[in-house]
Amino acid sequence: MFTGIVEEIGSVVKVERGARSSRLTKDTFTADVMNETLTRSNLGELGSGSRVDLERAMLCNGRFGGHIVSGHIDGTGRIVKTERDDIAIWYTIAADRKIMKYIIEKGSVAIDGISLTVAKVTDTDFSVSLIPHTAKETVLGFKKPGDTVNLENDVVGKYIEHFIMFDDNENNNGRRGKGSGITRDFLLKAGF
C-alpha cells in the first residue's frame, strides 16, 4: 500500500522487452512488468531515460499523507490541457467512462502514482491543480497535452460498488446479480 506522496523521480536505465512483458531497470533496482500491467498502464511507452515517480511502500507506523493507493492501475488518461493559475498549474485529463464513473469532485485520484484531489469533473474529463512543489518533484510537472498518464481510482468507491452489486444468494455463487437491494432511493429514504 502507498500514500501517493512521491519521494523522488527516478530514470529508466534500460528496457528489456519480452513477447508480452518488459523488464525496467530504474537507478538501482529492476522491475518485472507483466502483460496485465503493460495493457492497463503507460509503462510500455517508457524507454531509456524516461522519468518515473518513486515511492516506497507505506510503513504501518508512518504518517498517512495522501490517500490509499494500491499501485494497481485502472487505466490511462490523456492530458488535454494545462493552464497556469498564478503559482498553480491546472491539468485536465480525459479518460474512458470506466475510469470517469469513479471520479468525483473533491475526491482522490492517483495520477502516475501521485495522490491528488479532483477539483472539476465533466462527463469526459477531470481537472486537478498542482502546487509548485508537486509540479517540481513529480513526473506530472514535466508532462504536456497529449501525454498519457496512469490512473488509479480511489479504491473505496470500487469496494462500495462491489458490495452494493454483490449477490450473496448461494445459488448465484457470489457473482454479480440483482445486488443487495441498496439503491440511491433506499439510502435517501433512510436519511443518507
Side-chain angles (χ1 to χ4, degrees):
M1 180 185 305
F2 304 92
T3 66
I5 305 299
V6 173
E7 295 180 61
E8 66 179 86
I9 295 175
S11 293
V12 175
V13 175
K14 178 173 68 172
V15 176
E16 300 170 52
R17 298 197 194 284
R20 293 170 38 96
S21 63
S22 290
R23 177 169 283 155
L24 305 177
T25 302
K26 300 184 232 180
D27 289 345
T28 59
F29 67 93
T30 299
D32 291 318
V33 184
M34 62 186 162
N35 186 48
E36 168 71 7
T37 304
L38 291 174
T39 301
R40 286 189 184 250
S41 72
N42 69 359
L43 293 182
E45 299 172 11
L46 299 181
S48 182
S50 294
R51 295 180 209 157
V52 291
D53 290 326
L54 300 174
E55 176 189 0
R56 292 173 292 177
M58 184 177 89
L59 296 173
C60 292
N61 63 352
R63 270 184 89 217
F64 193 76
H67 75 282
I68 298 171
V69 178
S70 69
H72 303 299
I73 305 304
D74 292 304
T76 59
R78 187 178 46 81
I79 299 172
V80 292
K81 182 171 79 170
T82 61
E83 183 179 355
R84 184 157 290 284
D85 182 11
D86 195 18
I87 64 168
I89 303 172
W90 284 89
Y91 284 78
T92 301
I93 298 168
D96 291 340
R97 287 183 58 78
K98 66 181 180 131
I99 300 289
M100 291 302 300
K101 77 180 204 173
Y102 299 109
I103 302 286
I104 62 169
E105 190 171 311
K106 301 304 177 196
S108 297
V109 64
I111 302 173
D112 283 346
I114 309 160
S115 174
L116 294 166
T117 301
V118 176
K120 298 176 186 173
V121 180
T122 73
D123 289 340
T124 58
D125 60 38
F126 66 95
S127 299
V128 296
S129 182
L130 270 62
I131 61 173
H133 177 79
T134 304
K136 185 177 125 193
E137 299 295 328
T138 67
V139 171
L140 188 54
F142 299 95
K143 294 201 173 184
K144 58 192 178 321
D147 287 347
T148 303
V149 292
N150 294 318
L151 299 173
E152 180 186 332
N153 292 112
D154 191 349
V155 71
V156 174
K158 294 187 287 187
Y159 273 112
I160 290 170
E161 177 188 51
H162 178 76
F163 293 146
I164 289 173
M165 296 304 296
F166 190 81
D167 185 353
D168 59 2
N169 180 334
E170 286 183 34
N171 296 328
N172 200 20
N173 294 323
R175 290 172 293 174
R176 288 180 179 235
K178 65 180 185 218
S180 65
I182 298 175
T183 64
R184 184 175 192 269
D185 287 337
F186 172 84
L187 292 172
L188 287 172
K189 287 177 185 172
F192 291 96

